[in-house]
Amino acid sequence: MKKLVSAVIAFALVIIGITTGFVIEHGNSHDKTGEYAVELNEIERLIEQGDTDTAIIRTKQMREAMRTENADNINISIIIMGSICLIFLLSVGGYCYFTVIRPFGRLTGFAERVAQGDLETPLEYERTNLFGKFTWAFDSMRKEILRARTCEQEAIENNKTVIASLSHDIKTPISTVRAYAEAMEMGMSRAEDREKYVSVIIRKCDEVAQLTEDILAHSLSDLDKLRMHPEVFELNGFLEDLLADLNTQNDIIFEKPSYTIYMNADRNRLSQAVENLITNARKYAGTNIDVHINCDENNAYITFHDSGEGVPDEDMPFIFGKFYRGKNTNGEKGSGLGLFIVKYIVCQSGGDVRARNNNGFEVTLTLPVYEE
């Protein structure tokens, strides 16, 4: 509002200056002072000569001429001032329209669109007009509402991802339990192996129970990520026992290194990652699975390699994405979460995952070693 008042005062001063110039110029252009002086001298000379009648007539004529000229000057001044005032009012009205009315109209339309749920259309604003700061604040509010809605949608998607990933992880121990149970039912196991099978089945049931608790905890506390519970353990022995439990089809080839490697990670989550990789290799490759461990001063490298067809090059950049399934699934059922879960667990453990085609498909887990 201060800008508007300052603009009106400045414009009024300009108009006054222009009006004064017009009046002065008009007065100068019609100045007949010299003519009236000559006329007065003629009247005085007639009076001196005794011709008073003529002097009176000439005096009346001069007065009438002066009155007519003054009236003309007043009329012209009124016309000029009226025109200038009209121009001034039109200018003020135009200024008010472009600086107040039109921006307020745009702001009203924008508020109506926001009320109808349209948060994508931005509000164009200029900080130099009267509503500049207000429109900027209004558009910032729109962005905050849009950001809040986006975060809410992301939270919903995260919830779906967690539920889907936990449900996916339940399938792996269930399939192991089923395989051992079928072997025992068909009498394919020896008497001395049955105790081992029962122990594996019990352990896998415990894993299912733990995953079920994760689903319950997620639904109760609205978790957006799986919880990790790291502990120190020896990697080679852990992996040997885990792969022995998973080797129901005698298709896993693993040679335990002679040295020891200690990790500080979540054993259950790392078991899920390994089981997902084994399950994927069986489902999509159907070949033997070679598992190797290498180590340097900082990291341990666990490599899983099958002899299948591998992953198409165009799918390789996306295989760790949520719900992504490649073109070579060959009708196999799946949720597209296996490798996503593997990468998440390994990254949460401070490591990384790499995949490549190398006469088959090869996945390498990089995990930091534990140093006391």
Side-chain angles (χ1 to χ4, degrees), residues 145-370:
I145 295 175
L146 182 61
R147 186 186 64 81
R149 286 193 176 182
T150 303
C151 292
E152 179 182 4
Q153 187 63 34
E154 289 179 355
I156 294 174
E157 293 299 326
N158 286 334
N159 291 338
K160 293 180 180 178
T161 300
V162 172
I163 296 299
S165 63
L166 291 172
S167 302
H168 177 274
D169 285 337
I170 289 177
K171 295 179 181 178
T172 300
I174 289 295
S175 63
T176 302
V177 170
R178 182 181 180 84
Y180 278 106
E182 289 178 349
M184 295 175 64
E185 182 184 25
M186 297 173 62
M188 298 175 58
S189 60
R190 297 174 298 176
E192 58 269 20
D193 292 335
R194 290 180 182 177
E195 184 177 353
K196 174 185 175 182
Y197 288 0
V198 171
S199 176
V200 172
I201 290 174
I202 293 175
R203 187 162 60 253
K204 294 304 176 183
C205 290
D206 291 338
E207 291 181 9
V208 173
Q210 179 63 42
L211 291 170
T212 305
E213 290 179 2
D214 286 340
I215 294 177
L216 179 61
H218 174 73
S219 62
L220 292 177
S221 59
D222 196 24
L223 297 174
D224 59 351
K225 293 181 179 179
L226 297 176
R227 291 180 177 178
M228 306 294 290
H229 302 283
E231 58 179 302
V232 178
F233 62 92
E234 204 281 316
L235 177 63
N236 295 330
F238 161 78
L239 198 59
E240 181 183 32
D241 295 339
L242 177 60
L243 294 177
D245 292 342
L246 297 175
N247 198 15
T248 57
Q249 303 178 19
N250 295 321
D251 56 352
I252 301 175
I253 302 173
F254 173 69
E255 183 176 352
K256 179 182 177 181
S258 58
Y259 50 85
T260 58
I261 304 173
Y262 288 94
M263 311 290 301
N264 185 21
D266 190 319
R267 294 168 60 98
N268 293 329
R269 301 304 183 195
L270 190 57
S271 297
Q272 293 174 20
V274 172
E275 290 175 3
N276 281 337
L277 292 175
I278 297 297
T279 301
N280 279 356
R282 285 174 176 167
K283 183 187 297 185
Y284 300 114
T287 66
N288 289 338
I289 307 165
D290 294 317
V291 182
H292 302 283
I293 296 181
N294 294 312
C295 183
D296 58 24
E297 294 181 357
N298 300 316
N299 298 303
Y301 306 94
I302 310 173
T303 302
F304 299 81
H305 180 268
D306 62 56
S307 302
E309 297 179 357
V311 176
D313 292 338
E314 60 270 23
D315 291 334
M316 190 63 74
F318 312 105
I319 58 175
F320 292 107
K322 289 186 294 186
F323 308 111
Y324 185 82
R325 304 195 71 203
K327 299 180 178 62
N328 63 337
T329 54
N330 298 325
E332 294 285 348
K333 294 182 179 180
S335 59
L337 285 169
L339 291 179
F340 169 76
I341 296 171
V342 170
K343 186 174 181 65
Y344 173 78
I345 292 174
V346 174
C347 290
Q348 289 296 308
S349 302
D352 194 13
V353 181
R354 292 178 297 172
R356 63 171 182 165
N357 289 318
N358 181 23
N359 295 324
F361 186 61
E362 182 178 282
V363 178
T364 300
L365 310 183
T366 303
L367 295 166
V369 298
Y370 175 74

Side-chain angles (χ1 to χ4, degrees), residues 130-149:
L130 299 178
F131 293 94
K133 293 182 179 179
F134 184 71
T135 52
W136 174 81
F138 211 100
D139 192 62
S140 298
M141 180 187 69
R142 174 193 67 83
K143 293 178 181 178
E144 286 299 318
I145 295 175
L146 182 61
R147 186 186 64 81
R149 286 193 176 182

